[in-house]
Amino acid sequence: INSHQIMESTEPKEEEKPVEEVPMEDVEKKEEEENKEEGKEQLEGESISPMVNQELVQQLLDMFFTKAVAEKSLFLTNGTVEAAIEWIEQHQNDPDFEEELRIVKKEEKKKLTQEEAKLKAIELQKELRKKREEKEKQLAEEQEKNRMRMAKEMALAKKEMEESQKKRDMEARMREKKETEKAKREMLEKLRRDKEERFGKKVRGHLRLVFSWRE
C-alpha cells in the first residue's frame, strides 16, 4: 500500500449509514419455488467472514472502513488489501455499498466453493437492488398520483369559492337595489303628504325625484 492510498483511506469520512440486514426471506421464497419438486428446501444466508482473511480485514478496519465493506471488498477481489481498496474506490457510490454481503446455499448440499459463493452473493445483491429500485419507483408513482389528486382538489375548491363569492356579490347588489327603490318610494310618499298638509288638498300629478348614488 503506498502512502497516498493510506492517506486517502484515513481521511475523515461522512457519517456512514447503518448497515442494512439482508432480507433473506425473499431469497428463501424464490429458492423454495425453484426447488418445489425437491421438497421446497429452505435456504438461509451464510456469513462470508470465514471465507476471508481476518488479518486483512483488520487492516481495512484500521483505515476506518466498516467490517461489511472490508469483508465484501476482500471477498470479491483476489484477497489483497490493494485490490480491496481499488474495489472500494470503484464501488463506494453503489446504493448497496454498505450492505453486508451474504451467500445463499442449501444446508444439505456440499459446501460452495469460493467462486460459487462469490457468484451466488453477487446474484443475491443484484436481486435485492432490483427489488429496492422497483419499490422506490412504485413509491414515486404513488407520490405523483397523490400530488395530481391534491392539485385537482385544490383547483376545484378554488372554483367553488369563486362561484360562491360571485353569488354573494350578486345578492348584495340586489339587496342594495331593493333598499334604494324602497327609500325612493318612501321619500315620494312623504313629499306627497307634505304637499297635502300645506295646501289642504290632494296633489295631482306625480312627484319625481332624481337620485344619484355611487355603486
Side-chain angles (χ1 to χ4, degrees):
I1 308 172
N2 58 45
S3 59
H4 177 68
Q5 288 176 323
I6 295 177
M7 290 178 64
E8 288 184 343
S9 301
T10 55
E11 287 181 355
K13 293 181 174 292
E14 296 179 359
E15 184 179 352
E16 296 179 344
K17 299 180 180 178
V19 177
E20 300 179 5
E21 292 293 332
V22 177
M24 298 304 302
E25 55 271 14
D26 293 337
V27 179
E28 291 175 358
K29 183 177 179 181
K30 180 181 178 181
E31 294 291 342
E32 287 174 3
E33 292 175 354
E34 292 177 351
N35 296 282
K36 186 175 181 180
E37 296 180 358
E38 300 177 3
K40 297 182 178 179
E41 300 152 312
Q42 187 174 357
L43 306 178
E44 63 177 9
E46 180 179 340
S47 173
I48 61 173
S49 296
M51 301 182 182
V52 294
N53 187 324
Q54 291 300 314
E55 292 183 359
L56 300 182
V57 171
Q58 186 59 50
Q59 291 184 35
L60 292 173
L61 292 177
D62 293 341
M63 298 178 188
F64 303 101
F65 296 116
T66 64
K67 183 177 180 181
V69 171
E71 291 186 342
K72 179 163 57 175
S73 61
L74 289 168
F75 183 82
L76 296 176
T77 57
N78 60 8
T80 65
V81 174
E82 291 83 356
I85 291 176
E86 183 178 353
W87 183 92
I88 290 172
E89 291 176 349
Q90 293 174 355
H91 297 274
Q92 59 185 342
N93 294 323
D94 291 352
D96 54 358
F97 177 68
E98 292 289 348
E99 291 181 2
E100 180 183 1
L101 182 63
R102 301 180 71 85
I103 61 174
V104 178
K105 70 173 186 176
K106 298 179 181 179
E107 293 181 347
E108 66 278 7
K109 290 188 176 181
K110 65 178 183 179
K111 187 175 181 179
L112 297 176
T113 64
Q114 179 80 6
E115 188 63 22
E116 290 173 341
K118 184 187 299 185
L119 294 175
K120 201 71 175 179
I122 293 174
E123 180 183 358
L124 173 60
Q125 281 204 316
K126 287 181 179 179
E127 291 177 358
L128 295 177
R129 185 184 305 173
K130 182 179 179 180
K131 289 183 178 180
R132 180 171 57 251
E133 290 173 351
E134 290 175 351
K135 188 174 181 180
E136 290 173 352
K137 181 180 179 181
Q138 183 179 2
L139 179 61
E141 290 175 350
E142 289 294 330
Q143 290 176 341
E144 179 63 16
K145 288 180 181 178
N146 290 336
R147 186 192 66 79
M148 294 179 65
R149 178 178 55 80
M150 290 180 64
K152 185 177 180 179
E153 291 176 352
M154 290 179 64
L156 181 60
K158 182 179 180 181
K159 183 179 179 180
E160 291 176 351
M161 289 178 63
E162 291 174 350
E163 291 177 352
S164 180
Q165 185 62 43
K166 287 180 180 179
K167 184 177 179 180
R168 288 195 296 269
D169 293 342
M170 183 178 294
E171 290 174 349
R173 287 194 295 270
M174 292 296 294
R175 285 195 302 269
E176 183 180 356
K177 183 178 180 180
K178 290 180 180 179
E179 290 171 358
T180 300
E181 291 175 350
K182 182 180 178 182
K184 180 179 178 180
R185 288 194 300 270
E186 290 175 352
M187 181 63 70
L188 290 172
E189 181 63 19
K190 184 176 183 301
L191 290 174
R192 186 185 63 78
R193 287 197 300 268
D194 290 344
K195 282 276 189 178
E196 289 178 352
E197 291 175 359
R198 183 180 301 176
F199 297 105
K201 60 180 180 179
K202 293 184 177 181
V203 179
R204 295 180 180 180
H206 300 281
L207 295 174
R208 295 182 179 178
L209 292 178
V210 178
F211 292 89
S212 63
W213 65 88
R214 295 180 180 177
E215 300 236 332

